[in-house]
Amino acid sequence: MAQSLPSKDLTSSQLRILDAARNLFSEHGVGSTSLQMIADAVGVSKAAIYHQYKAKEDIVYAVGEQINMALAIMTSIALQEATLAKRREVLLNQIINLAVENRTIAGRLQQDPHFLKLFREEPPFVDVMAKLENTFIGNSPKPASRAVVAMLITGIAGAVMHPICDDLDNHALRLHLTKAANALIKLL
Amino acid sequence: MAQSLPSKDLTSSQLRILDAARNLFSEHGVGSTSLQMIADAVGVSKAAIYHQYKAKEDIVYAVGEQINMALAIMTSIALQEATLAKRREVLLNQIINLAVENRTIAGRLQQDPHFLKLFREEPPFVDVMAKLENTFIGNSPKPASRAVVAMLITGIAGAVMHPICDDLDNHALRLHLTKAANALIKLL
DNA sequence: GTCTATAGTAAGATAGAC
DNA sequence: GTCTATCTTACTATAGAC
């Protein structure tokens, strides 16, 4: 995920911490990941971590910001397209790409209570998610569309890390997810 | 979820513990839920909890068993149907019902690393999930079906707790999820 | 920026009384 | 079955030297 995420103004020390944290969070959950585990993964002491982020919550926030920024950029790129169909297509392709290239972490981070709290309560995160969802919904705010978009977004993140897909390579997974997602988009 | 879950041979004390634990796990994540929190929610001391379950891991396992048993029963009911289409329909309806009636916990428990470890590594759980998935897949083990089933299963659990669906009542949510799911099933 | 050392707290788990 | 009290361990976080 590291190379596909935008980096704001982060130092290389901070990037190494966030990379390690992201992987540990997805493997053990935020609540079961200690600063000691992050420090060990980076190869430094706990105090060195605290020098960069003065609380564990700040690391969670920073990891969330990376993902949020990626989603914001994808959405703004899609919104440059002229037609609704094209906006949906461009956004879908980018989301599927991001998820497939980060199979081991996409779904878990999306459903982790600590990240959910960010994406549901913190304005910068709520705004990005709303824009992303509305790009799919377009001008058809019928109730059915809400369920379809929810299933689309959580289904993509969940599917890429499902063990039943383990023997699909990235190319095949991308292809089949795109077909499945388009079947849902037709319902919007 | 309590009333819709099968109960094995559990005492009422154990049921109260598992109810509280399930809700706390889904709200905070397993890793961020302490035995003290469970004890407070039940209204007893930590020692009383330990009298029923000698480790936190045992509580996680028992909560997982409840869900696993519900899924196993649903699958076996569906498998009594004569045609593949009917088996899929019956299983889908039951899964959507279970998810919709447990909106606040379905998706989070499905993606929590502690439960994922059970459902991916412990034989009784792995078996139930495989049977459930194969009921959908039927006789078409093409690669595309794997991605579609993964999206179906994770998408339903994810959608019911997505904030975008908060203003849909259970009836509407069930209806729209069924339509969306059927669009995916057509691809199998 | 990184370390060692440590304070302070809360976790999981147990002992033994009632 | 439930309690109080306690043990041990691990956690978050900080202080201060290099």
Side-chain angles (χ1 to χ4, degrees):
Chain A
M1 191 154 194
Q3 65 274 30
S4 58
L5 283 180
S7 51
K8 217 179 172 183
D9 323 294
L10 301 171
T11 67
S12 65
S13 304
Q14 289 170 327
L15 281 175
R16 269 180 292 134
I17 292 171
L18 299 186
D19 277 359
R22 202 167 43 238
N23 287 316
L24 288 166
F25 288 161
S26 65
E27 184 178 351
H28 306 283
V30 173
S32 293
T33 300
S34 68
L35 283 164
Q36 187 65 65
M37 291 162 76
I38 298 174
D40 290 346
V42 176
V44 296
S45 69
K46 271 193 292 184
I49 305 290
Y50 274 105
H51 182 73
Q52 303 291 341
Y53 295 100
K54 57 182 187 227
K56 182 182 170 182
E57 194 194 324
D58 294 353
I59 299 179
V60 175
Y61 194 94
V63 170
E65 266 188 321
Q66 289 189 303
I67 299 168
N68 200 44
M69 197 175 303
L71 296 175
I73 291 172
M74 290 177 176
T75 304
S76 70
I77 290 174
L79 286 175
Q80 292 173 357
E81 300 292 333
T83 67
L84 175 57
K86 197 79 181 140
R87 289 194 288 275
R88 285 173 175 165
E89 183 194 329
V90 169
L91 184 52
L92 179 65
N93 280 340
Q94 288 181 104
I95 288 178
I96 289 179
N97 262 325
L98 182 68
V100 168
E101 277 161 24
N102 298 281
R103 286 196 191 201
T104 55
I105 60 177
R108 293 202 190 172
L109 294 193
Q110 194 187 48
Q111 294 292 346
D112 191 296
H114 295 82
F115 286 105
L116 275 177
K117 225 183 168 197
L118 288 185
F119 280 93
R120 293 188 180 188
E121 296 174 15
E122 295 288 322
F125 297 85
V126 174
D127 292 351
V128 166
M129 282 310 296
K131 244 177 219 158
L132 186 151
E133 290 153 8
N134 285 331
T135 301
F136 279 118
I137 292 178
N139 299 324
S140 67
K142 52 184 175 182
S145 298
R146 304 183 154 275
V148 171
V149 168
M151 197 162 166
L152 184 72
I153 293 175
T154 60
I156 291 171
V160 293
M161 64 183 325
H162 198 289
I164 206 179
C165 295
D166 279 355
D167 46 0
L168 296 177
D169 61 35
N170 283 1
H171 177 71
L173 183 56
R174 234 187 317 258
L175 184 74
H176 300 134
L177 282 183
T178 303
K179 283 185 186 170
N182 277 318
L184 291 179
I185 287 177
K186 276 195 190 119
L187 301 176
L188 289 175
Chain B
M1 190 157 191
Q3 65 274 31
S4 58
L5 281 180
S7 51
K8 217 179 170 181
D9 324 294
L10 300 171
T11 67
S12 66
S13 305
Q14 289 171 327
L15 281 175
R16 269 181 291 134
I17 292 172
L18 298 186
D19 277 358
R22 204 169 40 241
N23 287 316
L24 288 166
F25 287 162
S26 66
E27 185 178 351
H28 306 284
V30 173
S32 292
T33 300
S34 67
L35 283 165
Q36 187 64 63
M37 292 163 76
I38 297 173
D40 290 346
V42 176
V44 296
S45 69
K46 269 195 293 183
I49 305 290
Y50 274 106
H51 186 259
Q52 304 290 341
Y53 295 99
K54 58 181 188 231
K56 182 181 172 183
E57 193 194 325
D58 294 352
I59 299 178
V60 175
Y61 194 94
V63 170
E65 266 187 323
Q66 289 189 301
I67 300 167
N68 200 45
M69 197 174 304
L71 297 175
I73 292 172
M74 291 178 176
T75 304
S76 70
I77 290 175
L79 285 175
Q80 291 172 358
E81 299 292 334
T83 66
L84 174 57
K86 198 79 180 136
R87 288 195 289 273
R88 284 174 176 164
E89 183 194 330
V90 170
L91 184 53
L92 178 65
N93 280 340
Q94 290 182 101
I95 287 179
I96 287 179
N97 263 324
L98 181 68
V100 168
E101 278 161 23
N102 297 281
R103 284 195 192 202
T104 54
I105 60 178
R108 293 200 189 174
L109 293 193
Q110 195 188 50
Q111 294 291 346
D112 191 296
H114 295 84
F115 286 105
L116 275 176
K117 226 186 167 193
L118 288 185
F119 280 93
R120 293 187 179 188
E121 294 175 15
E122 295 288 321
F125 298 85
V126 173
D127 291 352
V128 167
M129 283 309 298
K131 243 176 218 157
L132 186 151
E133 288 153 9
N134 284 331
T135 301
F136 279 119
I137 292 178
N139 299 324
S140 69
K142 51 186 176 181
S145 297
R146 306 184 152 277
V148 170
V149 168
M151 197 161 165
L152 185 72
I153 292 175
T154 60
I156 291 171
V160 293
M161 66 186 320
H162 198 290
I164 205 180
C165 294
D166 279 355
D167 46 1
L168 296 178
D169 61 35
N170 283 1
H171 177 73
L173 184 55
R174 235 188 318 260
L175 185 75
H176 299 134
L177 282 183
T178 303
K179 282 185 187 170
N182 277 319
L184 291 179
I185 288 178
K186 278 197 189 117
L187 300 176
L188 290 175

